[in-house]
Amino acid sequence: MTDLFETIRRVLVPIHKEGYPFIAIGIVLTVLAGTFVQFLGWIFLLLTLWVCYFFRDPERIVPVGEGLVVSPADGRVNLISTVLPPSELDLPSEPMLRISVFMNVFDCHVNRVPVTGRIDQVHYTPGLFLNAELDKASEDNERNGLVIETRQGAETVRIGVVQIAGLVARRIVDWIKPGDDLVVGDRFGLIRFGSRVDVYLPAGTRVMVGLGQKAVAGETVLADLRGAGPVRQFRRV
């Protein structure tokens, strides 16, 4: 019986409170639609169940180790490149490693900090709602960026994390402020209904993921700030 309860507990993951208003609206619409047209009631019921699924907030087992950078989002690694960071983040005006994780509407959208450190700044930038998979979405789309100061040996390293709204996303939510101290894997925000998160890391950081790989927020190691070891190789099977 204990095993059964544990299985149910793992399947029925918590729902983040940001989803409560949408679930309430879905329930009301389901009742109203079902009262007049049963078929529409079933449609709204399915949509309400999907909203519950979308706002799920499962526990994660976070790897802890010096230099490790974990994924801030669930989704697919769709860009790995060396680019200039967004100017609003006040990071060094030199190329940095950017790893992007694209979230579709079926991914968990709770975002987590990729490293332990202090929030140096938070900067919201209004913009467009282009397809978040596009490279230019980093510059053109509505976004919310933060800079985290983390210790790497005796040095302080500043990395950038940018939440980017997409075609369907219309609200970026975060609950942090400059000066907050966070531990790797802590929840810091979410983006409603499809989006992308970019991580900007110093040149020389070792990439630990491959393009197209599925990333899990708080669990998948994206990179190693120490830069040690050979470049990891991947193949599609």
Side-chain angles (χ1 to χ4, degrees):
M1 186 62 69
T2 302
D3 291 341
L4 176 60
F5 286 144
E6 179 65 17
T7 300
I8 294 174
R9 188 190 69 83
R10 290 177 180 274
V11 173
L12 299 178
V13 298
I15 297 173
H16 197 277
K17 62 182 181 180
E18 287 288 335
Y20 293 170
F22 295 93
I23 295 170
I25 292 172
I27 292 173
V28 171
L29 292 176
T30 298
V31 173
L32 291 177
T35 300
F36 298 100
V37 183
Q38 189 177 34
F39 175 71
L40 289 179
W42 283 109
I43 291 178
F44 279 108
L45 176 60
L46 291 175
L47 289 174
T48 302
L49 292 175
W50 173 76
V51 171
C52 293
Y53 178 73
F54 178 86
F55 283 102
R56 66 196 183 278
D57 185 16
E59 293 181 348
R60 295 289 161 84
I61 307 301
V62 183
V64 178
E66 183 178 356
L68 298 184
V69 180
V70 303
S71 178
D74 283 23
R76 178 172 53 84
V77 177
N78 74 311
L79 290 171
I80 301 175
S81 55
T82 302
V83 298
L84 290 174
S87 58
E88 68 266 16
L89 295 185
D90 196 28
L91 290 168
S93 56
E94 56 189 33
M96 299 184 72
L97 172 66
R98 180 186 67 189
I99 302 178
S100 302
V101 179
F102 175 76
M103 297 175 281
N104 65 39
V105 294
F106 298 103
D107 288 316
C108 176
H109 274 55
V110 175
N111 299 146
R112 297 170 181 262
V113 290
V115 294
T116 294
R118 172 165 293 186
I119 304 298
D120 178 59
Q121 60 174 287
V122 179
H123 196 286
Y124 169 77
T125 303
L128 305 176
F129 297 95
L130 305 175
N131 185 348
E133 287 197 271
L134 300 176
D135 190 16
K136 63 179 181 178
S138 295
E139 299 179 358
D140 296 340
N141 280 26
E142 175 179 304
R143 59 192 182 273
N144 189 68
L146 52 141
V147 175
I148 305 174
E149 293 184 341
T150 185
R151 299 293 295 177
Q152 174 57 33
E155 299 182 354
T156 297
V157 177
R158 301 173 79 234
I159 73 169
V161 180
V162 183
Q163 299 167 290
I164 301 173
L167 276 172
V168 184
R170 285 298 183 271
R171 178 74 189 279
I172 298 175
V173 181
D174 68 66
W175 41 85
I176 54 168
K177 61 184 183 302
D180 286 349
D181 291 309
L182 299 176
V183 177
V184 58
D186 282 351
R187 302 162 177 84
F188 76 88
L190 60 81
I191 317 174
R192 293 177 184 164
F193 308 118
S195 44
R196 185 176 115 197
V197 179
D198 291 347
V199 182
Y200 291 86
L201 304 165
T205 298
R206 182 189 179 197
V207 179
M208 302 289 285
V209 290
L211 281 174
Q213 181 177 337
K214 176 68 176 180
V216 178
E219 292 191 353
T220 301
V221 176
L222 295 182
D224 190 335
L225 292 172
R226 296 170 298 177
V231 176
R232 297 189 72 186
Q233 302 294 321
F234 299 87
R235 67 188 182 93
R236 187 182 298 274
V237 295

